[in-house]
Amino acid sequence: MKFSMERATLLKAVAQAQSVVERRNTIPILANVLIEAEGDTVSFRATDLDIEVVDKASAQVERAGATTVSAVTLHEIVRKLPDGALVSLSEEGATGRLTVEAGRSNFSLATLPKEDFPVMATSEYAANFSAEAQVLRRLFDKSKFAISTEETRYYLNGVYMHVADGEDGKVLRCVATDGHRLARIDAPLPKGAEDMPGVIVPRKTVGEMRKLLEDDEMQIAVSVSETKVRFATPEITLTSKVIDGTFPDYTRVIPQGNTRRMEVDASDFARAVDRVATVSSERSRAVKLALDEDRLILSVNAPDSGAAEEELVVAYADERLEIGFNAKYLLEIASQVDRENAVFLFNSSGDPTLMREGNDTSAVYVVMPMRV
């Protein structure tokens, strides 16, 4: 095998592959990237047995062939090469070494046989559709903060992507929750997604897929089956197993009857919460919201470190209310608002609170209160 390609192209392809590779591995081949050169394209394939990524790039291929080499080492080498360098990779079958050359640099890397590399079994997908990158980016970016990190409730360790009934018909919906807060994001249902089974996309897959979504106009081909999900651009294909479990009925925890409405500038609110939370004890991080007519007082009282208070002008015309929240949860939810004011809908100090952007119901957040 022998081919050469420009450093920037090679770096992009290898970077995507090496991020999937687990750093701590008991199976040596899983630390490697499978490089296959054929025609005028080279594909880089990496897997952790749950996720597989294949990145295709065009190159000048002199001799077709395939080998596997340490993904992290190759990435580090290419990253440290000078910009604009032409990198040549070649392997002589007899030596079992991959030679990387660029300018005056020369590296010889140990390889493992390509036959040992596990390739993910292909499967039939129940639904195939395409969606704009910016639509998928919004669905996952706005929901992923609420993914649970508790290993015991493994079915919450991802984003539940499914078809649901929205206000104006069927929608593509992403939901994530950890029991303390919940995010529910809707987007118009793409053509072909009607029969999609609901799947829980794991946290790591959400992070890896995010790298495919930088270009707003890019169309992403999405394929979904009961056990796998695939996201593909013309260059990169990401296939992942989904979490085998049942996502809880989240509709039961989204409050319908919250009538006390507070409207506030989201960035002012987030900054004020951040300021008063500075004195709170790390463990509880509780912030108290005291609401009165058109006025909100944020306060923190931490006996061991001090107290803080800040007043904000808000739109609120209901009876007086005092309610406490975890500051981190409030900050994360407020930072999701990017266009309008944040609208909070309260019921009482012990009930879940709903938050949305203005009157937009396509992104809804729920946060549980704390005793303060």
Side-chain angles (χ1 to χ4, degrees):
M1 179 183 80
K2 186 173 185 185
F3 66 89
S4 49
M5 64 201 303
E6 207 266 319
R7 171 194 174 264
T9 316
L10 180 59
L11 182 62
K12 190 163 171 267
V14 177
Q16 181 82 38
Q18 70 93 33
S19 67
V20 169
V21 169
E22 285 291 338
R23 289 288 182 274
R24 296 184 298 280
N25 250 321
T26 49
I27 310 168
I29 194 80
L30 291 183
N32 282 14
V33 55
L34 173 64
I35 305 171
E36 297 171 294
E38 199 176 331
D40 58 357
T41 59
V42 177
S43 71
F44 299 84
R45 186 187 298 263
T47 183
D48 66 358
L49 297 181
D50 289 325
I51 305 175
E52 178 186 76
V53 67
V54 184
D55 202 327
K56 289 186 166 61
S58 50
Q60 298 149 321
V61 179
E62 288 180 41
R63 232 183 14 255
T67 187
T68 82
V69 66
S70 164
V72 176
T73 310
L74 183 61
H75 177 251
E76 284 297 292
I77 288 171
V78 178
R79 191 174 63 80
K80 291 172 182 175
L81 290 173
D83 249 350
L86 186 69
V87 188
S88 163
L89 286 87
S90 59
E91 190 216 19
E92 302 299 333
T95 59
R97 297 273 170 190
L98 178 76
T99 307
V100 182
E101 292 175 288
R104 295 180 181 180
S105 308
N106 186 308
F107 304 87
S108 175
L109 305 178
T111 62
L112 285 171
K114 63 178 187 293
E115 293 77 23
D116 295 352
F117 194 86
V119 173
M120 200 177 262
T122 54
S123 58
E124 290 294 314
Y125 291 101
N128 297 283
F129 59 93
S130 79
E132 271 189 12
Q134 57 184 349
V135 172
L136 289 175
R137 191 170 65 215
R138 175 179 171 274
L139 280 172
F140 285 96
D141 275 7
K142 285 184 174 294
S143 57
K144 66 183 180 188
F145 74 90
I147 295 175
S148 171
T149 51
E150 272 184 60
E151 294 300 320
T152 47
R153 299 164 81 185
Y154 63 92
Y155 48 85
L156 297 181
N157 295 160
V159 172
Y160 181 43
M161 179 172 77
H162 59 297
V163 178
D165 293 313
E167 289 189 348
D168 306 317
K170 298 274 188 200
V171 291
L172 180 62
R173 176 174 289 175
C174 281
V175 178
T177 182
D178 64 357
H180 303 290
R181 62 243 157 108
L182 176 144
R184 190 200 78 193
I185 318 296
D186 292 351
L189 188 67
K191 199 162 149 277
E194 299 83 2
D195 302 328
M196 181 184 98
V199 289
I200 306 170
V201 184
R203 168 198 296 280
K204 183 175 175 184
T205 308
V206 172
E208 291 302 325
M209 179 201 52
R210 183 64 184 76
K211 297 169 190 167
L212 276 63
L213 309 178
E214 294 303 336
D215 180 358
D216 278 0
E217 302 306 313
M218 177 75 81
Q219 287 288 333
I220 309 290
V222 185
S223 307
V224 184
S225 75
E226 295 279 356
T227 55
K228 286 201 185 85
V229 61
R230 168 180 284 176
F231 301 93
T233 69
E235 292 88 35
I236 302 169
T237 304
L238 177 78
T239 311
S240 167
K241 291 180 183 170
V242 298
I243 293 174
D244 181 15
T246 308
F247 201 80
D249 179 10
Y250 60 88
T251 52
R252 294 214 318 271
V253 299
I254 297 176
Q256 302 300 333
N258 287 13
T259 52
R260 299 179 178 186
R261 185 178 195 273
M262 173 186 88
E263 189 165 335
V264 60
D265 181 292
S267 59
D268 288 353
F269 177 74
R271 283 196 289 266
V273 170
D274 199 21
R275 281 192 289 269
V276 295
T278 314
V279 299
S280 70
S281 63
E282 273 307 304
R283 202 168 48 81
S284 66
R285 297 292 309 271
V287 173
K288 186 161 101 182
L289 280 65
L291 276 158
D292 222 331
E293 195 171 331
D294 291 344
R295 191 170 78 129
L296 165 68
I297 295 174
L298 295 162
S299 62
V300 167
N301 193 357
D304 47 350
S305 56
E309 188 173 293
E310 181 160 341
E311 190 173 315
L312 282 177
V313 176
V314 297
Y316 181 75
D318 230 301
E319 58 198 69
R320 188 171 160 72
L321 172 72
E322 288 194 354
I323 188 167
F325 292 105
N326 180 315
K328 177 170 168 275
Y329 297 165
L330 278 186
L331 282 173
E332 283 179 336
I333 283 180
S335 68
Q336 302 305 320
V337 178
D338 39 30
R339 286 195 309 279
E340 300 181 47
N341 287 346
V343 171
F344 286 85
L345 293 166
F346 304 99
N347 187 25
S348 75
S349 62
D351 292 320
T353 294
L354 194 91
M355 197 279 283
R356 60 173 195 245
E357 280 182 67
N359 292 319
D360 178 13
T361 54
S362 73
V364 170
Y365 307 93
V366 179
V367 60
M368 297 299 284
M370 281 175 80
R371 279 211 192 94
V372 283

